Amino acid sequence: MTEQHEIIFSFEKNLNNNIDTYSKLIELYHTLNALEQQKVILDLSNITFLSANLLALLGCCVDSTMTKRNHKIALRNLHPKIKAVMQKNGFNRYFTWDNLDDKYHNTMNYDIFESTTEHLVDFERYLLLNVFSRNNLPIMNSAYKNSIIDNFLEMFNNVIDHANSSYVYVCGQFFPKSMNLCFSIVDIGKTIAENVTSYLRTASMSIPSNTLKWAIIPGNSTKALEAPGGLGFSTLLDFLKHNNGSFILISDKEIYELRASKECFNTLTLPFPGTIVTITINLRDKQWYFFDKNNNDLIIF
């Protein structure tokens, strides 16, 4: 089989939600994007675990380069448990594998949405079905839940209005041992740095050293007058801080991480030509979240 393929890309470590893994998948994108009409093997010999939300990034990288560069891509030595997850969540669309029933409802579908206003409702339906209808989600009233959903919809609208991206990729997984629900939203298009820098230059404003710091400030959003399409997920970030969940945002070379209520900004060696958002919700959280619209207050107990 190796002789029939010209390029082998190997993964040395399990694919967890850490910067090493994101860097490796971004390296894969650059490797594929630099080639033309190649047969490529993704060697998974050393991989016994893959966090399924990362299939959104893997699928985005492979999909975009297969279409643009006309590659043929195969997997080698795929662990049976990882293959089973792919058969349950729909990633097997790229292969000739049968579907498997997810009887424990631990997977979130691998899905691709056209980044158009018409498909916003499909993305919202995906969130309602895979995230907000779960009976083990922390308890929150409808006003607070709708506010968080609005943050997700604003992310999708940002792709439509400012990323010039054709598709949005989504996938996730519920992990019963850790009681974490983890999912990623990925697009390839204009980066946050490009949009923020262009906007601030036009407004004759100073450009920050890290544009993600600017982008996550409440008010720097698509809802602000003539703003460049900021991310506008202040409610989501506030919830994850209380929830002891986590959040990863990657665009270009910039990284923002929220873990254990602590924020960190960092940089990558290779840029990602789009945006990656990974959300992890802690389902051990027994707090109740109620938003009082009249006083614009969040009540937690």
Side-chain angles (χ1 to χ4, degrees):
M1 185 174 184
T2 303
E3 294 177 356
Q4 298 174 353
H5 292 74
E6 299 177 17
I7 302 294
I8 297 176
F9 188 92
S10 298
F11 294 90
E12 296 84 16
K13 302 176 183 177
N14 282 343
L15 301 177
N16 294 289
N17 282 297
N18 55 45
I19 298 307
D20 284 347
T21 293
Y22 285 98
S23 297
K24 188 67 177 179
L25 289 169
I26 292 169
E27 179 190 339
L28 170 64
Y29 170 82
H30 284 276
T31 299
L32 295 175
N33 197 47
L35 302 170
E36 291 284 354
Q37 294 184 321
Q38 295 289 331
K39 295 179 179 179
V40 182
I41 286 181
L42 305 184
D43 185 3
L44 300 166
S45 302
N46 299 316
I47 307 301
T48 58
F49 175 80
L50 181 154
S51 188
N53 63 288
L54 294 168
L55 294 175
L57 177 53
L58 177 61
C60 182
C61 292
V62 169
D63 238 12
S64 61
T65 52
M66 282 177 65
T67 302
K68 185 166 60 174
R69 303 300 186 194
N70 198 25
H71 296 319
K72 292 184 178 179
I73 299 176
L75 302 180
R76 184 169 74 183
N77 296 326
L78 180 65
H79 193 284
K81 288 185 178 179
I82 299 175
K83 180 179 178 181
V85 169
M86 293 177 175
Q87 290 177 276
K88 292 174 184 177
N89 67 17
F91 197 78
N92 61 338
R93 69 176 66 189
Y94 298 113
F95 311 101
T96 56
W97 307 336
D98 293 334
N99 293 329
L100 288 180
D101 182 43
D102 181 18
K103 61 181 179 180
Y104 297 111
H105 305 289
N106 289 339
T107 62
M108 287 177 61
N109 292 343
Y110 172 74
D111 231 324
I112 306 170
F113 300 95
E114 291 185 40
S115 53
T116 63
T117 304
E118 291 76 16
H119 288 88
L120 181 64
V121 66
D122 298 325
F123 178 69
E124 183 176 15
R125 190 180 298 115
Y126 177 95
L127 292 173
L128 292 172
L129 178 64
N130 288 278
V131 181
F132 292 97
S133 65
R134 297 189 67 92
N135 58 17
N136 54 1
L137 199 70
I139 296 172
M140 56 186 73
N141 71 343
S142 58
Y144 193 63
K145 182 183 292 186
N146 290 337
S147 182
I148 293 176
I149 292 172
D150 285 345
N151 280 187
F152 284 110
L153 298 183
E154 188 164 348
M155 288 185 213
F156 194 93
N157 272 321
N158 190 65
V159 176
I160 297 171
D161 295 337
H162 302 281
N164 293 336
S165 174
S166 299
Y167 300 102
V168 175
Y169 296 76
V170 188
C171 195
Q173 181 84 13
F174 168 60
F175 299 99
K177 288 185 179 180
S178 64
M179 288 295 289
N180 283 332
L181 178 67
C182 186
F183 56 103
S184 292
I185 303 167
V186 183
D187 75 89
I188 286 182
K190 270 192 171 182
T191 65
I192 294 169
E194 289 178 90
N195 281 314
V196 171
T197 300
S198 175
Y199 167 72
L200 294 178
R201 278 180 180 159
T202 301
S204 299
M205 298 168 66
S206 60
I207 299 168
S209 58
N210 188 309
T211 61
L212 297 189
K213 288 184 179 180
W214 187 95
I216 66 171
I217 295 173
N220 290 348
S221 72
T222 51
K223 294 180 181 178
L225 182 62
E226 296 183 350
L231 303 180
F233 36 52
S234 56
T235 302
L236 174 61
L237 290 177
D238 188 57
F239 164 67
L240 292 173
K241 289 174 184 177
H242 290 294
N243 169 256
N244 200 28
S246 65
F247 185 92
I248 298 173
L249 170 63
I250 295 173
S251 193
D252 201 277
K253 287 187 175 183
E254 297 178 339
I255 310 165
Y256 164 72
E257 283 190 273
L258 170 68
R259 292 184 188 272
S261 298
K262 295 182 180 179
E263 296 179 305
C264 177
F265 294 89
N266 215 324
T267 56
L268 293 165
T269 303
L270 291 172
F272 181 70
T275 301
I276 305 162
V277 178
T278 295
I279 301 101
T280 301
I281 301 175
N282 168 28
L283 300 187
R284 294 185 189 276
D285 184 4
K286 301 303 180 185
Q287 298 177 111
W288 292 27
Y289 298 83
F290 287 87
F291 184 65
D292 182 350
K293 281 187 174 180
N294 294 327
N295 298 313
N296 199 32
D297 285 335
L298 173 63
I299 303 167
I300 303 174
F301 59 93

